[in-house]
Amino acid sequence: MCLAARLRPAGKAVSAAPSAAPSAAAAPSAAAPPPRRHSLERAFGVLLSVNFLVFWAVPIFGMGQAYHLGLKHVLRPLYDRLDRSAALRRFAAAYVYNKPAHADFAATAVLTFLSTTVAFGVALRYQLVHGHLPWALHAAYNCAWVGIGGRMMGSAYTFAHKEGHNGVLYQRWVRRTVGNLFENWVGLLYGNVPYNFTTSHNHIHHALDGGKGDTFYCYDLDRSSLSDFMLYQRRIFLHMAGLSSLRYFRLRGMHKQERLLARGCAIFWLAFPLPL
């Protein structure tokens, strides 16, 4: 993965790169862009970093520390009790998941879904009734979004990733009605374009093993450079937004994946925010 690649010593950047992918897949920055374009790309990366520091760094740090410095002694026994619930596991195994072993996901999935929808519902109702969101409620929502110990944020991403990899994770009635709950529904509140894992993650990132052509390829960047990290910020944003992946699919004639991801982009960028 790219994160692991960034943690390797900078001097081994070339030797650490995986074997070259087919020539049709060129690295995103194979042809060096003009200096002005690089400056604009870095500036965009700076904006993304500022957004993280202003809105998300404190909730992530604070919710993590709140769990480790005390709340885990109260909340962990309650979670363990729910996780060991025979009734919940029987229900999940009989009506939700294809394999009984996947009932292990049930407790965390239920808590993540409830926490996310309740937090969003409270914030949305307040805005509809009062016409604005006070900063205190905004901050509270961001903390709920992260979750105690980062559990909600981590679980939402983990389940979306799992659903994208396992097309038969759920029973047929769930697949035909709800579909991938976290990838395509809950993920809307976590910056995940619907079908992003099913399409770009599987057919680009894993198909190329993170090598050249991957839409968040990072071996061409200096991992000891803050300036290059700003370039990476922009690159990963374009991947998560679905834009660079759409271009990849279109150029390679992968029309099935392109249409599915385009549908997800339309939901994420148009259908979901417009009513709000």
Side-chain angles (χ1 to χ4, degrees):
M1 293 293 291
C2 287
L3 179 59
R6 296 185 70 84
L7 296 177
R8 297 191 186 104
K12 297 183 180 180
V14 175
S15 60
S19 56
S23 58
S29 58
R36 177 175 173 77
R37 178 181 163 189
H38 253 176
S39 297
L40 292 174
E41 291 174 352
R42 286 190 172 91
F44 188 69
V46 170
L47 290 177
L48 294 174
S49 300
V50 170
N51 171 72
F52 172 79
L53 292 173
V54 171
F55 294 105
W56 302 109
V58 172
I60 290 173
F61 177 81
M63 297 301 279
Q65 291 303 302
Y67 177 77
H68 290 294
L69 295 179
L71 287 179
K72 64 181 178 182
H73 302 297
V74 177
L75 298 178
R76 188 59 195 242
L78 297 177
Y79 170 80
D80 288 341
R81 187 172 182 177
L82 177 64
D83 188 42
R84 290 194 297 264
S85 169
L88 176 62
R89 286 178 170 269
R90 280 197 305 270
F91 179 85
Y95 300 107
V96 180
Y97 297 105
N98 250 336
K99 295 182 179 180
H102 290 149
D104 286 347
F105 301 147
T108 303
V110 167
L111 290 175
T112 303
F113 178 77
L114 289 177
S115 174
T116 302
T117 53
V118 169
F120 180 71
V122 169
L124 180 61
R125 186 179 186 282
Y126 190 99
Q127 184 172 9
L128 291 175
V129 171
H130 300 281
H132 71 284
L133 277 180
W135 280 105
L137 184 56
H138 191 182
Y141 175 80
N142 284 9
C143 289
W145 186 94
V146 172
I148 300 294
R151 294 306 197 270
M152 300 302 103
M153 173 180 64
S155 298
Y157 181 92
T158 298
F159 288 135
H161 180 265
K162 181 67 176 178
E163 291 170 347
H165 274 289
N166 190 344
V168 292
L169 176 66
Y170 300 116
Q171 293 190 13
R172 183 175 298 176
W173 77 269
V174 178
R175 301 199 304 269
R176 289 181 173 179
T177 55
V178 179
N180 286 349
L181 175 64
F182 290 91
E183 182 187 17
N184 300 334
W185 296 99
V186 175
L188 288 168
L189 299 175
Y190 280 90
N192 185 62
V193 171
Y195 309 107
N196 201 12
F197 285 97
T198 299
T199 57
S200 59
H201 182 75
N202 288 341
H203 294 277
I204 301 177
H205 180 66
H206 281 292
L208 299 176
D209 196 23
K212 290 184 178 180
D214 191 347
T215 43
F216 57 96
Y217 179 79
C218 63
Y219 287 100
D220 59 321
L221 300 175
D222 181 354
R223 295 187 291 278
S224 64
S225 167
L226 181 61
S227 177
D228 273 19
F229 181 65
M230 296 303 108
L231 293 177
Y232 180 72
Q233 291 272 60
R234 172 189 174 274
R235 190 175 294 178
I236 195 65
F237 173 83
L238 293 178
H239 169 86
M240 294 305 298
L243 303 179
S244 56
S245 299
L246 281 176
R247 181 174 182 273
Y248 179 99
F249 292 139
R250 184 172 63 254
L251 291 177
R252 287 155 183 80
M254 301 172 68
H255 302 303
K256 179 181 178 181
Q257 289 78 17
E258 181 188 4
R259 285 192 296 268
L260 191 57
L261 184 57
R263 177 184 175 187
C265 287
I267 293 171
F268 184 85
W269 293 108
L270 296 174
F272 182 61
L274 279 178
L276 302 178

